[in-house]
Amino acid sequence: MSYANARDILPNEVLEIIQKYVDGEYIYIPRKEENKMAWGELTKSKEELKVRNDRIYKDYLEGISVQSLSKNYYLSPKTIQKIISKKRKYENTEGSI
């Protein structure tokens, strides 16, 4: 998201209407519904986190402790537990289909 001066992009009459409601304040103008993108859609972040979490779960199943995983992946034990729980729940629902 980038900053733009309203004077540079809006017609003067539109600017004056907006100034009646918001004078000199910062406002966020959301995207149109059809232009919205899911988180991670423009980058590989979503896929990288999935790969990392799959690896954490695999390591856990191979016997590596939550404490060790926490140190290895620089995450809190609580975060490791959440990842394991989510993966376990996902596997249980996938297996029952």
Side-chain angles (χ1 to χ4, degrees), residues 1-94:
M1 178 171 45
S2 62
Y3 169 83
N5 190 323
R7 277 197 177 94
D8 297 338
I9 58 175
L10 298 175
N12 199 41
E13 54 273 7
V14 174
L15 181 59
E16 287 175 10
I17 292 169
I18 292 172
Q19 286 173 326
K20 287 181 185 178
Y21 298 94
V22 183
D23 190 19
E25 299 290 327
Y26 292 105
I27 62 170
Y28 169 74
I29 300 173
R31 288 185 169 274
K32 292 180 183 179
E33 206 53 46
E34 63 268 16
N35 293 335
K36 287 187 177 181
M37 292 181 246
W39 177 85
E41 196 172 329
L42 294 178
T43 65
K44 294 183 179 180
S45 299
K46 198 172 193 177
E47 182 58 31
E48 289 170 356
L49 284 177
K50 183 189 177 316
V51 169
R52 181 204 67 185
N53 292 349
D54 289 347
R55 195 174 322 120
I56 288 171
Y57 188 60
K58 179 181 164 286
D59 289 348
Y60 174 77
L61 292 177
E62 290 176 356
I64 299 176
S65 71
V66 169
Q67 206 63 34
S68 293
L69 291 170
S70 174
K71 290 177 184 171
N72 293 346
Y73 289 94
Y74 302 99
L75 297 169
S76 72
K78 191 71 175 169
T79 299
I80 297 291
Q81 290 168 344
K82 285 180 183 179
I83 291 167
I84 292 167
S85 176
K86 190 179 283 188
K87 289 286 182 188
R88 184 180 290 139
K89 186 176 181 181
Y90 176 77
E91 277 194 358
N92 288 338
T93 57
E94 283 293 304

